[in-house]
Amino acid sequence: MAGNGVRSRVFRHIRAAPAAGPAVGAASQLTPPLLHGTLRGAAKRKATRQGGDIMRRSIVSSILLLTILASAVPAADLTSVRRQWQKLQDRESAVLAPKSHDRAERAMVALESAASSSSTSLPDKLQTAQDRLDELEEAVTLARSTWSHALQLRARAREAGADTASASWEQAENILVASARKLEVGRSEAAVRQATPLPGLYDQARLEAMKFYLVGRTKARLAEAEKGKATRYTPRSYVRALDVVTMTETLLEEGKGEADMDIRDSAARAAREAEHTLFLLENIRNSCETANRGRIESTILDWEAGVQRVAETLGIEPDFRQGMGLPLQHALVESDRVVRERNHLRIQLAQRSDQVDSLEHVIQELKVHISDFEGMVAELRPFREEANTVAAIQALFTRSEGQVLLDDRDLVLRLHGLRFASARADIPAQSVAILDKVAEAVQALPGAHVVVEGHTDSSGRADRNKKLSQERAQAVREWLIREAGLDPGRVTAVGHGSSRPVATNDTDAGRALNRRIEITISRPG
């Protein structure tokens, strides 16, 4: 420890302090021979005083250092030693290592005394206690590893209450302490030999405790019943209670665990039978041995009243003319019927619960399908709206004015009714109504791109036809921009001449169909 190092430095400091002898020697060496005798006494006295002062200062310094050392003992060290001592006691060091336990206990008493008085010996006491506790911990660990199985059985016996209700427990504890003393002094073989009976004794102690706590009170009550002449007045009840007690003890002897439900149920039944025996004994004996002959009648009537309440609850009118046997039998039959009905209802309830669970599962699936359907409807809604728009646009134009065709997502207005004068590109007044409908169709599809295509029949030169178709398409484009307010950047015009006929050019009707304006509206998205 740090305290030991400080103390050793203090003691070295004390040993290193100058003594009186050397000071006298130094004075004699410095004094001339002639004056040696005269100054010898004065020098000696002076050196003695100096040495004494130095010694006193050293002692005072040492005491101060020791006091500081004592007051500076870390509180954590003292706390940890106390904690270790408590932990070893919890591990039953007094039983598993009695000799080391006694030494450690004495060291702890001395330590606590020094701590309470703030003694300067506290560091030494602390170190001694720590050493003793380390020795004790080593001894306890050795004992626990040597007798691990026996100590497990000991713990189970204590859980059963053997330390307060078993003679075998005391015998086992004496052997354990004696064996532990041998183990502490290194006689391990003798310690193991002496501890051989421990497993059997602790098992026996556990059995004795279980018997005492589970059936001990019941046996005492039956002894009380026997003393009260139960064998004369209530022999059947008495013997029945004894049989249940014997059965419980047999279960215990077979080595079943205390937590076994058979043992606990049997012990509880034995207790009930014993109390029943005492109840019957008191009533029957008092009725037979006292002058109050009406007590038996009162007792029977009380019992009949109890049966009456049960029977009425079951919807039965009891008849006690021949005693309680027949009413009890009827009550038993009716109660069996009630139990069967209850069980049937429970089964039905379970089936209904299963049906409810199944329906809830179906409902959840339907909710998922509905959600999916709603999602599909939401996805299709824009397409439906577009379809309605296309239908409305188709309804704008008469058959003589033109056709509304679908080309994938494009809308094509094939306008046969938009007629130009021969070789002219001026929009005739009678065709303005058709262009108004075109403007309405384009505006019904915001953001759409519009391509105006001009077409001619095959009459005349091809280059002239192409130029004429371009001029007519450009005239329609300019009208849509000017009159309908379309964005010029979204409207283009192109002339195809006679290169894209839709009918034969051999007849007047066919050539009339080929002379046309087609407007392609490309829907956004």
Side-chain angles (χ1 to χ4, degrees):
M1 294 179 62
N4 290 336
V6 174
R7 288 197 298 275
S8 62
R9 290 195 296 272
V10 171
F11 295 143
R12 286 198 298 271
H13 174 66
I14 294 173
R15 288 195 295 269
V24 173
S28 63
Q29 292 175 5
L30 295 174
T31 305
L34 182 62
L35 298 177
H36 183 272
T38 306
L39 297 178
R40 182 177 183 180
K44 183 175 182 181
R45 286 192 298 274
K46 181 177 181 182
T48 300
R49 284 196 304 271
Q50 291 176 345
D53 291 342
I54 293 173
M55 179 64 73
R56 281 192 295 274
R57 286 196 298 271
S58 298
I59 292 173
V60 170
S61 299
S62 300
I63 292 173
L64 288 173
L65 285 173
L66 287 173
T67 302
I68 294 172
L69 178 65
S71 62
V73 173
D77 288 348
L78 184 57
T79 301
S80 63
V81 166
R82 286 170 174 162
R83 188 182 300 116
Q84 184 181 6
W85 172 235
Q86 183 60 51
K87 179 180 177 182
L88 288 169
Q89 291 181 94
D90 294 341
R91 294 180 67 193
E92 300 188 279
S93 58
V95 177
L96 299 179
K99 186 175 180 181
S100 300
H101 179 89
D102 291 343
R103 288 199 299 267
E105 187 173 33
R106 290 194 295 271
M108 287 302 298
V109 169
L111 174 61
E112 294 297 346
S113 176
S116 63
S117 62
S118 300
S119 172
T120 56
S121 63
L122 179 58
D124 290 333
K125 301 298 184 185
L126 183 63
Q127 184 61 49
T128 301
Q130 183 67 66
D131 294 342
R132 295 293 175 266
L133 291 178
D134 291 343
E135 294 170 1
L136 177 58
E137 185 162 7
E138 184 178 352
V140 169
T141 301
L142 176 61
R144 286 195 169 274
S145 63
T146 303
W147 298 308
S148 58
H149 177 60
L151 292 176
Q152 289 176 358
L153 297 176
R154 179 177 182 269
R156 293 182 63 194
R158 170 171 279 175
E159 289 176 0
D163 54 341
T164 59
S166 170
S168 297
W169 173 271
E170 185 176 356
Q171 182 183 355
E173 291 292 280
N174 290 335
I175 293 176
L176 179 59
V177 171
S179 303
R181 290 187 183 279
K182 288 184 175 62
L183 187 64
E184 282 188 283
V185 296
R187 298 175 59 193
S188 57
E189 292 184 3
V192 171
R193 255 193 329 270
Q194 187 171 5
T196 302
L198 287 180
L201 286 172
Y202 283 127
D203 255 347
Q204 182 63 28
R206 176 174 168 272
L207 180 61
E208 291 172 1
M210 292 171 67
K211 285 183 177 180
F212 176 80
Y213 286 111
L214 289 177
V215 297
R217 185 176 184 278
T218 301
K219 293 176 73 173
R221 295 290 281 168
L222 287 177
E224 181 183 341
E226 183 180 13
K227 185 177 179 181
K229 302 180 182 179
T231 54
R232 177 182 175 184
Y233 292 109
T234 57
R236 290 174 59 188
S237 301
Y238 176 70
V239 171
R240 185 168 56 205
L242 284 178
D243 288 343
V244 180
V245 169
T246 302
M247 182 177 66
T248 305
E249 290 182 327
T250 301
L251 291 174
L252 287 168
E253 292 288 350
E254 289 175 353
K256 292 189 176 182
E258 182 185 2
D260 191 283
M261 291 303 299
D262 291 340
I263 296 177
R264 293 194 174 277
D265 290 346
S266 182
R269 182 187 167 197
R272 290 194 301 270
E273 294 290 351
E275 294 301 324
H276 184 228
T277 299
L278 286 167
F279 171 75
L280 293 176
L281 176 61
E282 180 183 2
N283 283 275
I284 294 174
R285 186 181 59 194
N286 289 340
S287 299
C288 294
E289 295 182 352
T290 64
N292 185 9
R293 300 303 179 183
R295 184 178 180 87
I296 295 178
E297 180 187 14
S298 297
T299 301
I300 294 174
L301 290 176
D302 289 341
W303 291 347
E304 287 181 352
V307 175
Q308 174 89 22
R309 288 192 295 272
V310 173
E312 290 177 351
T313 302
L314 294 172
I316 301 172
E317 183 63 34
D319 184 356
F320 295 108
R321 287 178 296 179
Q322 300 298 321
M324 288 186 291
L326 188 59
L328 286 174
Q329 184 178 357
H330 289 166
L332 182 60
V333 171
E334 183 62 20
S335 63
D336 286 342
R337 186 193 65 78
V338 171
V339 169
R340 287 195 301 273
E341 184 176 348
R342 181 198 63 186
N343 291 338
H344 179 66
L345 290 174
R346 285 180 174 175
I347 292 173
Q348 287 185 328
L349 178 61
Q351 291 173 345
R352 296 291 187 274
S353 298
D354 291 340
Q355 291 175 356
V356 170
D357 293 341
S358 178
L359 288 174
E360 288 180 349
H361 180 69
V362 172
I363 290 172
Q364 292 301 322
E365 290 183 345
L366 288 175
K367 286 182 177 179
V368 172
H369 291 317
I370 290 172
S371 178
D372 292 342
F373 179 74
E374 290 175 345
M376 293 172 60
V377 169
E379 291 177 0
L380 292 174
R381 186 173 292 114
F383 296 99
R384 182 178 180 181
E385 292 174 353
E386 286 186 3
N388 292 335
T389 302
V390 170
I393 293 173
Q394 288 175 331
L396 288 175
F397 298 91
T398 64
R399 195 171 175 82
S400 61
E401 290 174 336
Q403 294 176 284
V404 179
L405 307 175
L406 286 176
D407 183 9
D408 193 11
R409 288 184 53 79
D410 293 343
L411 201 65
V412 178
L413 307 181
R414 183 169 290 172
L415 304 176
H416 304 291
L418 185 59
R419 302 184 184 278
F420 292 87
S422 179
R424 299 295 300 267
D426 301 329
I427 295 176
Q430 64 271 23
S431 298
V432 171
I434 297 177
L435 292 179
D436 286 336
K437 294 180 179 180
V438 171
E440 185 177 350
V442 174
Q443 290 168 352
L445 298 170
H449 289 272
V450 177
V451 177
V452 181
E453 298 178 357
H455 299 272
T456 66
D457 59 23
S458 60
S459 301
R461 291 167 45 191
D463 56 341
R464 176 60 185 156
N465 287 337
K466 182 174 179 62
K467 179 182 179 184
L468 180 61
S469 64
Q470 177 68 41
E471 291 173 349
R472 288 175 175 176
Q474 185 66 28
V476 173
R477 174 181 180 273
E478 291 174 356
W479 190 95
L480 291 173
I481 294 171
R482 182 179 66 253
E483 302 297 334
L486 299 187
D487 182 0
R490 293 181 177 271
V491 185
T492 58
V494 59
H496 294 290
S498 59
S499 62
R500 296 183 181 182
V502 294
T504 179
N505 281 303
D506 296 333
T507 64
D508 292 339
R511 287 191 293 273
L513 291 175
N514 289 334
R515 294 191 297 271
R516 69 194 186 277
I517 290 292
E518 285 189 3
I519 297 178
T520 301
I521 305 173
S522 298
R523 287 177 285 177

